[in-house]
Amino acid sequence: MTTRPAVDVAVIMRKVPTSSHWQPWRWELSEVVPQEESFGAEPRLLYKGEDGERWLHPGFRAELFRDEAEGYYLNVTTPAPAWFVLWRMEDEPSVAAEPIPRPLIVTLSYNEAGRWLDAQETVENVPAPAHIVEWMAAFAEEHYEPEQKKKRKRPESFKTLSDRFGQPASVTTVKKYGGGGEGHG
């Protein structure tokens, strides 16, 4: 059994004020950081103040899969390669007095993030550091094989018509014989 290339990370979510009096706060992805043993296994509050909160969510593994190589290639070739994090709000409070966001998956695949967005999930991204981008680029270079572009076949309706002798032919919708198709009286 071969092991996939992977990196262990933690996700930091932040609660920030909004200018809306209907929704005074919102949650957003803040950072993806290298996992450290001292983080433990459960989410924990890093900061709480008048300007919001920051929560650390440890224990994620971002793996590189061969069948996602195109997604890594697309990520690497964007102006800002990124981590993608799928997260959902808790239904009921677990570690805080009110529900907090819970990251579920961390990936570097542009295609995987797109599939989550198509499924109406909350997905946000933050810049990936240079060493992660280089690691992902090396994997994509080794495993991504672009599809060969097929030569486009010209539709039959655009081909020039010729008769059985190879001479140019024309098509008309005007009836040559029989008087134009109007009623016979």
Side-chain angles (χ1 to χ4, degrees), residues 112-170:
E112 188 173 9
R115 289 190 297 272
W116 296 336
L117 287 169
D118 289 346
Q120 306 297 309
E121 294 286 358
T122 301
V123 179
E124 292 186 81
N125 67 67
V126 291
H131 72 279
I132 294 294
V133 174
E134 290 168 11
W135 173 66
M136 176 176 44
F139 185 88
E141 187 174 316
E142 182 180 346
H143 298 288
Y144 175 56
E145 295 177 22
E147 286 185 33
Q148 297 297 320
K149 289 194 175 196
K150 296 177 184 172
K151 185 169 177 161
R152 187 167 174 253
K153 182 180 175 195
R154 184 176 203 122
E156 294 293 324
S157 58
F158 288 98
K159 288 188 176 176
T160 56
L161 295 174
S162 57
D163 63 16
R164 63 183 175 186
F165 304 109
Q167 300 299 315
S170 63

Side-chain angles (χ1 to χ4, degrees), residues 76-93:
V76 166
T77 57
T78 65
W83 293 105
F84 299 98
V85 177
L86 179 152
W87 62 271
R88 295 179 185 150
M89 286 298 293
E90 293 179 322
D91 291 328
E92 298 292 326

Side-chain angles (χ1 to χ4, degrees), residues 5-78:
V7 61
D8 293 325
V9 295
V11 175
I12 299 175
M13 301 293 296
R14 67 178 166 224
K15 183 179 182 181
V16 295
T18 69
S19 57
S20 167
H21 63 278
W22 300 107
Q23 183 182 353
W25 300 94
R26 69 179 167 83
W27 286 95
E28 64 185 22
L29 175 62
S30 177
E31 295 177 74
V32 173
V33 297
Q35 175 71 25
E36 295 180 16
E37 199 172 309
S38 64
F39 291 169
E42 290 297 316
R44 69 177 178 182
L45 181 65
L46 296 176
Y47 169 82
K48 185 172 185 161
E50 294 287 320
D51 58 344
E53 298 177 16
R54 288 170 57 92
W55 281 82
L56 174 72
H57 297 267
F60 292 92
R61 174 164 281 206
E63 294 181 287
L64 299 182
F65 297 88
R66 290 180 68 159
D67 60 349
E68 286 293 334
E70 179 185 40
Y72 309 132
Y73 171 79
L74 292 172
N75 191 1
V76 166
T77 57
T78 65

